PDB file of all heavy atoms in Angstrom:
ATOM      1  N   GLY A 203       8.599 -23.408 -45.757  1.00  0.00           N
ATOM      2  CA  GLY A 203       7.962 -22.007 -45.647  1.00  0.00           C
ATOM      3  C   GLY A 203       6.449 -21.923 -45.899  1.00  0.00           C
ATOM      4  O   GLY A 203       5.800 -23.009 -46.165  1.00  0.00           O
ATOM      5  N   THR A 204       5.997 -20.767 -46.031  1.00  0.00           N
ATOM      6  CA  THR A 204       4.563 -20.464 -46.297  1.00  0.00           C
ATOM      7  C   THR A 204       4.456 -19.582 -47.525  1.00  0.00           C
ATOM      8  O   THR A 204       5.081 -18.481 -47.462  1.00  0.00           O
ATOM      9  CB  THR A 204       3.787 -19.863 -45.144  1.00  0.00           C
ATOM     10  OG1 THR A 204       3.934 -20.741 -44.111  1.00  0.00           O
ATOM     11  CG2 THR A 204       2.355 -19.762 -45.425  1.00  0.00           C
ATOM     12  N   VAL A 205       3.726 -19.859 -48.539  1.00  0.00           N
ATOM     13  CA  VAL A 205       3.552 -18.926 -49.707  1.00  0.00           C
ATOM     14  C   VAL A 205       2.273 -18.394 -49.753  1.00  0.00           C
ATOM     15  O   VAL A 205       1.247 -19.156 -49.673  1.00  0.00           O
ATOM     16  CB  VAL A 205       4.069 -19.701 -50.980  1.00  0.00           C
ATOM     17  CG1 VAL A 205       3.811 -18.724 -52.200  1.00  0.00           C
ATOM     18  CG2 VAL A 205       5.402 -20.220 -50.882  1.00  0.00           C
ATOM     19  N   LYS A 206       2.044 -17.109 -49.983  1.00  0.00           N
ATOM     20  CA  LYS A 206       0.821 -16.509 -50.005  1.00  0.00           C
ATOM     21  C   LYS A 206       0.743 -15.451 -51.298  1.00  0.00           C
ATOM     22  O   LYS A 206       1.804 -15.167 -51.803  1.00  0.00           O
ATOM     23  CB  LYS A 206       0.398 -15.700 -48.837  1.00  0.00           C
ATOM     24  CG  LYS A 206       0.579 -16.491 -47.581  1.00  0.00           C
ATOM     25  CD  LYS A 206       0.176 -15.652 -46.276  1.00  0.00           C
ATOM     26  CE  LYS A 206       0.295 -16.491 -44.984  1.00  0.00           C
ATOM     27  NZ  LYS A 206       0.063 -15.804 -43.820  1.00  0.00           N
ATOM     28  N   PHE A 207      -0.378 -15.058 -51.695  1.00  0.00           N
ATOM     29  CA  PHE A 207      -0.637 -14.150 -52.756  1.00  0.00           C
ATOM     30  C   PHE A 207      -1.074 -12.811 -52.264  1.00  0.00           C
ATOM     31  O   PHE A 207      -1.959 -12.646 -51.366  1.00  0.00           O
ATOM     32  CB  PHE A 207      -1.698 -14.707 -53.712  1.00  0.00           C
ATOM     33  CG  PHE A 207      -2.158 -13.694 -54.790  1.00  0.00           C
ATOM     34  CD1 PHE A 207      -1.323 -13.327 -55.759  1.00  0.00           C
ATOM     35  CD2 PHE A 207      -3.344 -13.068 -54.572  1.00  0.00           C
ATOM     36  CE1 PHE A 207      -1.811 -12.329 -56.716  1.00  0.00           C
ATOM     37  CE2 PHE A 207      -3.770 -12.124 -55.512  1.00  0.00           C
ATOM     38  CZ  PHE A 207      -3.000 -11.766 -56.523  1.00  0.00           C
ATOM     39  N   VAL A 208      -0.511 -11.722 -52.802  1.00  0.00           N
ATOM     40  CA  VAL A 208      -0.989 -10.383 -52.575  1.00  0.00           C
ATOM     41  C   VAL A 208      -1.100  -9.679 -53.923  1.00  0.00           C
ATOM     42  O   VAL A 208      -0.165  -9.841 -54.783  1.00  0.00           O
ATOM     43  CB  VAL A 208      -0.120  -9.671 -51.557  1.00  0.00           C
ATOM     44  CG1 VAL A 208       1.340  -9.448 -52.112  1.00  0.00           C
ATOM     45  CG2 VAL A 208      -0.762  -8.309 -51.167  1.00  0.00           C
ATOM     46  N   TYR A 209      -2.151  -8.976 -54.131  1.00  0.00           N
ATOM     47  CA  TYR A 209      -2.321  -8.185 -55.431  1.00  0.00           C
ATOM     48  C   TYR A 209      -1.419  -7.080 -55.708  1.00  0.00           C
ATOM     49  O   TYR A 209      -1.269  -6.262 -54.731  1.00  0.00           O
ATOM     50  CB  TYR A 209      -3.846  -7.837 -55.556  1.00  0.00           C
ATOM     51  CG  TYR A 209      -4.139  -7.094 -56.816  1.00  0.00           C
ATOM     52  CD1 TYR A 209      -4.167  -7.729 -58.022  1.00  0.00           C
ATOM     53  CD2 TYR A 209      -4.374  -5.775 -56.808  1.00  0.00           C
ATOM     54  CE1 TYR A 209      -4.450  -7.160 -59.146  1.00  0.00           C
ATOM     55  CE2 TYR A 209      -4.633  -5.079 -58.081  1.00  0.00           C
ATOM     56  CZ  TYR A 209      -4.778  -5.793 -59.232  1.00  0.00           C
ATOM     57  OH  TYR A 209      -4.976  -5.194 -60.434  1.00  0.00           O
ATOM     58  N   ASN A 210      -0.794  -7.080 -56.844  1.00  0.00           N
ATOM     59  CA  ASN A 210      -0.027  -6.011 -57.204  1.00  0.00           C
ATOM     60  C   ASN A 210       0.083  -5.744 -58.696  1.00  0.00           C
ATOM     61  O   ASN A 210       0.336  -6.763 -59.421  1.00  0.00           O
ATOM     62  CB  ASN A 210       1.444  -6.092 -56.742  1.00  0.00           C
ATOM     63  CG  ASN A 210       2.458  -5.026 -57.242  1.00  0.00           C
ATOM     64  OD1 ASN A 210       3.493  -5.375 -57.732  1.00  0.00           O
ATOM     65  ND2 ASN A 210       2.117  -3.736 -57.188  1.00  0.00           N
ATOM     66  N   ASP A 211      -0.484  -4.680 -59.188  1.00  0.00           N
ATOM     67  CA  ASP A 211      -0.428  -4.462 -60.658  1.00  0.00           C
ATOM     68  C   ASP A 211       0.539  -3.319 -60.890  1.00  0.00           C
ATOM     69  O   ASP A 211       0.290  -2.175 -60.400  1.00  0.00           O
ATOM     70  CB  ASP A 211      -1.848  -4.097 -61.061  1.00  0.00           C
ATOM     71  CG  ASP A 211      -1.998  -3.809 -62.654  1.00  0.00           C
ATOM     72  OD1 ASP A 211      -0.916  -3.707 -63.246  1.00  0.00           O
ATOM     73  OD2 ASP A 211      -3.079  -3.954 -63.135  1.00  0.00           O
ATOM     74  N   ALA A 212       1.578  -3.561 -61.734  1.00  0.00           N
ATOM     75  CA  ALA A 212       2.552  -2.531 -61.958  1.00  0.00           C
ATOM     76  C   ALA A 212       2.036  -1.361 -62.602  1.00  0.00           C
ATOM     77  O   ALA A 212       2.656  -0.306 -62.561  1.00  0.00           O
ATOM     78  CB  ALA A 212       3.680  -3.133 -62.820  1.00  0.00           C
ATOM     79  N   SER A 213       0.906  -1.439 -63.297  1.00  0.00           N
ATOM     80  CA  SER A 213       0.356  -0.278 -63.933  1.00  0.00           C
ATOM     81  C   SER A 213      -0.521   0.672 -63.090  1.00  0.00           C
ATOM     82  O   SER A 213      -1.025   1.621 -63.415  1.00  0.00           O
ATOM     83  CB  SER A 213      -0.539  -0.657 -65.173  1.00  0.00           C
ATOM     84  OG  SER A 213      -1.649  -1.404 -64.728  1.00  0.00           O
ATOM     85  N   LYS A 214      -0.702   0.170 -61.828  1.00  0.00           N
ATOM     86  CA  LYS A 214      -1.603   0.856 -60.768  1.00  0.00           C
ATOM     87  C   LYS A 214      -0.655   1.175 -59.525  1.00  0.00           C
ATOM     88  O   LYS A 214      -0.429   0.325 -58.751  1.00  0.00           O
ATOM     89  CB  LYS A 214      -2.695   0.024 -60.421  1.00  0.00           C
ATOM     90  CG  LYS A 214      -3.598  -0.294 -61.620  1.00  0.00           C
ATOM     91  CD  LYS A 214      -4.737  -1.188 -61.242  1.00  0.00           C
ATOM     92  CE  LYS A 214      -5.717  -1.533 -62.410  1.00  0.00           C
ATOM     93  NZ  LYS A 214      -6.820  -2.476 -61.968  1.00  0.00           N
ATOM     94  N   ASP A 215      -0.188   2.424 -59.522  1.00  0.00           N
ATOM     95  CA  ASP A 215       0.630   2.935 -58.466  1.00  0.00           C
ATOM     96  C   ASP A 215       0.199   2.517 -57.019  1.00  0.00           C
ATOM     97  O   ASP A 215       0.943   2.177 -56.214  1.00  0.00           O
ATOM     98  CB  ASP A 215       0.936   4.424 -58.623  1.00  0.00           C
ATOM     99  CG  ASP A 215       1.702   4.808 -59.853  1.00  0.00           C
ATOM    100  OD1 ASP A 215       1.893   3.931 -60.709  1.00  0.00           O
ATOM    101  OD2 ASP A 215       1.969   5.980 -59.923  1.00  0.00           O
ATOM    102  N   GLU A 216      -1.113   2.778 -56.829  1.00  0.00           N
ATOM    103  CA  GLU A 216      -1.661   2.485 -55.453  1.00  0.00           C
ATOM    104  C   GLU A 216      -1.377   1.046 -54.938  1.00  0.00           C
ATOM    105  O   GLU A 216      -1.396   0.801 -53.876  1.00  0.00           O
ATOM    106  CB  GLU A 216      -3.108   2.932 -55.455  1.00  0.00           C
ATOM    107  CG  GLU A 216      -4.080   1.976 -56.309  1.00  0.00           C
ATOM    108  CD  GLU A 216      -4.210   2.356 -57.718  1.00  0.00           C
ATOM    109  OE1 GLU A 216      -3.356   3.275 -58.170  1.00  0.00           O
ATOM    110  OE2 GLU A 216      -5.100   1.881 -58.388  1.00  0.00           O
ATOM    111  N   THR A 217      -1.321   0.158 -55.935  1.00  0.00           N
ATOM    112  CA  THR A 217      -1.192  -1.291 -55.460  1.00  0.00           C
ATOM    113  C   THR A 217       0.242  -1.724 -54.929  1.00  0.00           C
ATOM    114  O   THR A 217       0.485  -2.671 -54.249  1.00  0.00           O
ATOM    115  CB  THR A 217      -1.579  -2.279 -56.560  1.00  0.00           C
ATOM    116  OG1 THR A 217      -0.587  -2.182 -57.649  1.00  0.00           O
ATOM    117  CG2 THR A 217      -2.789  -1.926 -57.198  1.00  0.00           C
ATOM    118  N   TYR A 218       1.242  -0.780 -55.250  1.00  0.00           N
ATOM    119  CA  TYR A 218       2.463  -0.977 -54.682  1.00  0.00           C
ATOM    120  C   TYR A 218       2.429  -0.759 -53.109  1.00  0.00           C
ATOM    121  O   TYR A 218       2.835  -1.601 -52.270  1.00  0.00           O
ATOM    122  CB  TYR A 218       3.505   0.003 -55.096  1.00  0.00           C
ATOM    123  CG  TYR A 218       3.766  -0.148 -56.588  1.00  0.00           C
ATOM    124  CD1 TYR A 218       3.585   0.839 -57.546  1.00  0.00           C
ATOM    125  CD2 TYR A 218       4.447  -1.232 -57.142  1.00  0.00           C
ATOM    126  CE1 TYR A 218       3.925   0.758 -58.858  1.00  0.00           C
ATOM    127  CE2 TYR A 218       4.745  -1.435 -58.484  1.00  0.00           C
ATOM    128  CZ  TYR A 218       4.534  -0.462 -59.243  1.00  0.00           C
ATOM    129  OH  TYR A 218       4.806  -0.570 -60.652  1.00  0.00           O
ATOM    130  N   VAL A 219       1.706   0.272 -52.705  1.00  0.00           N
ATOM    131  CA  VAL A 219       1.528   0.502 -51.267  1.00  0.00           C
ATOM    132  C   VAL A 219       0.563  -0.456 -50.731  1.00  0.00           C
ATOM    133  O   VAL A 219       0.688  -1.066 -49.591  1.00  0.00           O
ATOM    134  CB  VAL A 219       1.008   1.997 -51.033  1.00  0.00           C
ATOM    135  CG1 VAL A 219       0.723   2.252 -49.647  1.00  0.00           C
ATOM    136  CG2 VAL A 219       1.936   3.004 -51.604  1.00  0.00           C
ATOM    137  N   SER A 220      -0.574  -0.794 -51.341  1.00  0.00           N
ATOM    138  CA  SER A 220      -1.633  -1.652 -50.822  1.00  0.00           C
ATOM    139  C   SER A 220      -1.020  -3.013 -50.548  1.00  0.00           C
ATOM    140  O   SER A 220      -1.495  -3.764 -49.601  1.00  0.00           O
ATOM    141  CB  SER A 220      -2.898  -1.659 -51.676  1.00  0.00           C
ATOM    142  OG  SER A 220      -2.593  -2.163 -52.891  1.00  0.00           O
ATOM    143  N   ALA A 221      -0.240  -3.506 -51.487  1.00  0.00           N
ATOM    144  CA  ALA A 221       0.410  -4.776 -51.366  1.00  0.00           C
ATOM    145  C   ALA A 221       1.173  -4.858 -50.103  1.00  0.00           C
ATOM    146  O   ALA A 221       1.106  -5.878 -49.282  1.00  0.00           O
ATOM    147  CB  ALA A 221       1.236  -5.163 -52.506  1.00  0.00           C
ATOM    148  N   VAL A 222       2.056  -3.881 -49.765  1.00  0.00           N
ATOM    149  CA  VAL A 222       2.971  -3.880 -48.565  1.00  0.00           C
ATOM    150  C   VAL A 222       1.952  -3.767 -47.388  1.00  0.00           C
ATOM    151  O   VAL A 222       2.196  -4.521 -46.358  1.00  0.00           O
ATOM    152  CB  VAL A 222       3.922  -2.802 -48.628  1.00  0.00           C
ATOM    153  CG1 VAL A 222       4.541  -2.509 -47.215  1.00  0.00           C
ATOM    154  CG2 VAL A 222       4.993  -2.828 -49.672  1.00  0.00           C
ATOM    155  N   GLU A 223       0.972  -2.893 -47.422  1.00  0.00           N
ATOM    156  CA  GLU A 223       0.096  -2.864 -46.273  1.00  0.00           C
ATOM    157  C   GLU A 223      -0.688  -4.028 -45.944  1.00  0.00           C
ATOM    158  O   GLU A 223      -0.868  -4.375 -44.745  1.00  0.00           O
ATOM    159  CB  GLU A 223      -0.867  -1.685 -46.507  1.00  0.00           C
ATOM    160  CG  GLU A 223      -0.291  -0.123 -46.637  1.00  0.00           C
ATOM    161  CD  GLU A 223       0.588   0.146 -45.382  1.00  0.00           C
ATOM    162  OE1 GLU A 223       0.055  -0.277 -44.194  1.00  0.00           O
ATOM    163  OE2 GLU A 223       1.655   0.747 -45.361  1.00  0.00           O
ATOM    164  N   GLU A 224      -1.066  -4.831 -46.890  1.00  0.00           N
ATOM    165  CA  GLU A 224      -1.740  -6.042 -46.722  1.00  0.00           C
ATOM    166  C   GLU A 224      -0.851  -7.074 -46.050  1.00  0.00           C
ATOM    167  O   GLU A 224      -1.240  -7.807 -45.277  1.00  0.00           O
ATOM    168  CB  GLU A 224      -2.240  -6.629 -48.075  1.00  0.00           C
ATOM    169  CG  GLU A 224      -3.140  -7.952 -47.845  1.00  0.00           C
ATOM    170  CD  GLU A 224      -3.829  -8.383 -49.011  1.00  0.00           C
ATOM    171  OE1 GLU A 224      -4.142  -7.582 -50.011  1.00  0.00           O
ATOM    172  OE2 GLU A 224      -4.067  -9.573 -49.181  1.00  0.00           O
ATOM    173  N   VAL A 225       0.352  -7.151 -46.517  1.00  0.00           N
ATOM    174  CA  VAL A 225       1.407  -8.097 -45.930  1.00  0.00           C
ATOM    175  C   VAL A 225       1.535  -7.669 -44.428  1.00  0.00           C
ATOM    176  O   VAL A 225       1.527  -8.606 -43.517  1.00  0.00           O
ATOM    177  CB  VAL A 225       2.775  -8.036 -46.623  1.00  0.00           C
ATOM    178  CG1 VAL A 225       3.831  -8.739 -45.799  1.00  0.00           C
ATOM    179  CG2 VAL A 225       2.613  -8.504 -48.060  1.00  0.00           C
ATOM    180  N   VAL A 226       1.669  -6.506 -44.151  1.00  0.00           N
ATOM    181  CA  VAL A 226       1.901  -6.058 -42.704  1.00  0.00           C
ATOM    182  C   VAL A 226       0.661  -6.245 -41.792  1.00  0.00           C
ATOM    183  O   VAL A 226       0.689  -6.772 -40.755  1.00  0.00           O
ATOM    184  CB  VAL A 226       2.333  -4.510 -42.639  1.00  0.00           C
ATOM    185  CG1 VAL A 226       2.391  -4.063 -41.270  1.00  0.00           C
ATOM    186  CG2 VAL A 226       3.620  -4.400 -43.326  1.00  0.00           C
ATOM    187  N   ALA A 227      -0.544  -5.997 -42.511  1.00  0.00           N
ATOM    188  CA  ALA A 227      -1.773  -6.260 -41.840  1.00  0.00           C
ATOM    189  C   ALA A 227      -1.864  -7.787 -41.439  1.00  0.00           C
ATOM    190  O   ALA A 227      -2.438  -8.023 -40.384  1.00  0.00           O
ATOM    191  CB  ALA A 227      -2.864  -5.771 -42.615  1.00  0.00           C
ATOM    192  N   ASN A 228      -1.460  -8.597 -42.326  1.00  0.00           N
ATOM    193  CA  ASN A 228      -1.700 -10.044 -42.093  1.00  0.00           C
ATOM    194  C   ASN A 228      -0.613 -10.546 -41.147  1.00  0.00           C
ATOM    195  O   ASN A 228      -0.931 -11.430 -40.350  1.00  0.00           O
ATOM    196  CB  ASN A 228      -1.500 -10.763 -43.395  1.00  0.00           C
ATOM    197  CG  ASN A 228      -2.695 -10.535 -44.357  1.00  0.00           C
ATOM    198  OD1 ASN A 228      -3.834 -10.088 -43.968  1.00  0.00           O
ATOM    199  ND2 ASN A 228      -2.548 -10.759 -45.638  1.00  0.00           N
ATOM    200  N   GLU A 229       0.693 -10.134 -41.314  1.00  0.00           N
ATOM    201  CA  GLU A 229       1.757 -10.681 -40.626  1.00  0.00           C
ATOM    202  C   GLU A 229       2.308  -9.813 -39.356  1.00  0.00           C
ATOM    203  O   GLU A 229       3.129 -10.411 -38.645  1.00  0.00           O
ATOM    204  CB  GLU A 229       2.853 -11.025 -41.525  1.00  0.00           C
ATOM    205  CG  GLU A 229       2.473 -11.776 -42.816  1.00  0.00           C
ATOM    206  CD  GLU A 229       1.893 -13.212 -42.461  1.00  0.00           C
ATOM    207  OE1 GLU A 229       2.213 -13.744 -41.392  1.00  0.00           O
ATOM    208  OE2 GLU A 229       1.097 -13.709 -43.352  1.00  0.00           O
ATOM    209  N   GLY A 230       1.935  -8.592 -39.458  1.00  0.00           N
ATOM    210  CA  GLY A 230       2.374  -7.648 -38.335  1.00  0.00           C
ATOM    211  C   GLY A 230       3.757  -6.995 -38.653  1.00  0.00           C
ATOM    212  O   GLY A 230       4.239  -6.175 -37.968  1.00  0.00           O
ATOM    213  N   ARG A 231       4.351  -7.333 -39.826  1.00  0.00           N
ATOM    214  CA  ARG A 231       5.670  -6.854 -40.209  1.00  0.00           C
ATOM    215  C   ARG A 231       5.954  -7.320 -41.556  1.00  0.00           C
ATOM    216  O   ARG A 231       5.405  -8.128 -42.283  1.00  0.00           O
ATOM    217  CB  ARG A 231       6.780  -7.283 -39.251  1.00  0.00           C
ATOM    218  CG  ARG A 231       7.113  -8.754 -39.393  1.00  0.00           C
ATOM    219  CD  ARG A 231       8.020  -9.082 -38.288  1.00  0.00           C
ATOM    220  NE  ARG A 231       8.719 -10.413 -38.521  1.00  0.00           N
ATOM    221  CZ  ARG A 231       8.121 -11.540 -38.233  1.00  0.00           C
ATOM    222  NH1 ARG A 231       6.884 -11.616 -37.707  1.00  0.00           N
ATOM    223  NH2 ARG A 231       8.793 -12.744 -38.409  1.00  0.00           N
ATOM    224  N   ILE A 232       7.045  -6.605 -42.231  1.00  0.00           N
ATOM    225  CA  ILE A 232       7.728  -7.148 -43.398  1.00  0.00           C
ATOM    226  C   ILE A 232       9.277  -6.968 -43.296  1.00  0.00           C
ATOM    227  O   ILE A 232       9.681  -5.948 -42.827  1.00  0.00           O
ATOM    228  CB  ILE A 232       7.208  -6.355 -44.589  1.00  0.00           C
ATOM    229  CG1 ILE A 232       7.835  -6.819 -45.850  1.00  0.00           C
ATOM    230  CG2 ILE A 232       7.419  -4.823 -44.466  1.00  0.00           C
ATOM    231  CD1 ILE A 232       7.295  -6.401 -47.243  1.00  0.00           C
ATOM    232  N   ASP A 233       9.922  -8.149 -43.295  1.00  0.00           N
ATOM    233  CA  ASP A 233      11.309  -8.183 -43.058  1.00  0.00           C
ATOM    234  C   ASP A 233      12.199  -8.038 -44.403  1.00  0.00           C
ATOM    235  O   ASP A 233      13.325  -7.513 -44.292  1.00  0.00           O
ATOM    236  CB  ASP A 233      11.762  -9.528 -42.381  1.00  0.00           C
ATOM    237  CG  ASP A 233      11.001  -9.675 -41.123  1.00  0.00           C
ATOM    238  OD1 ASP A 233      11.082  -8.858 -40.143  1.00  0.00           O
ATOM    239  OD2 ASP A 233      10.289 -10.746 -40.965  1.00  0.00           O
TER     240      ASP A 233
END
């Protein structure tokens, strides 16, 4: 497989969304 990093800080609510959006922006989807 391929392993990548995406930023997510549990104390910052906005990073829950930004993490998902970055994955989708990079890969086109999240399964």
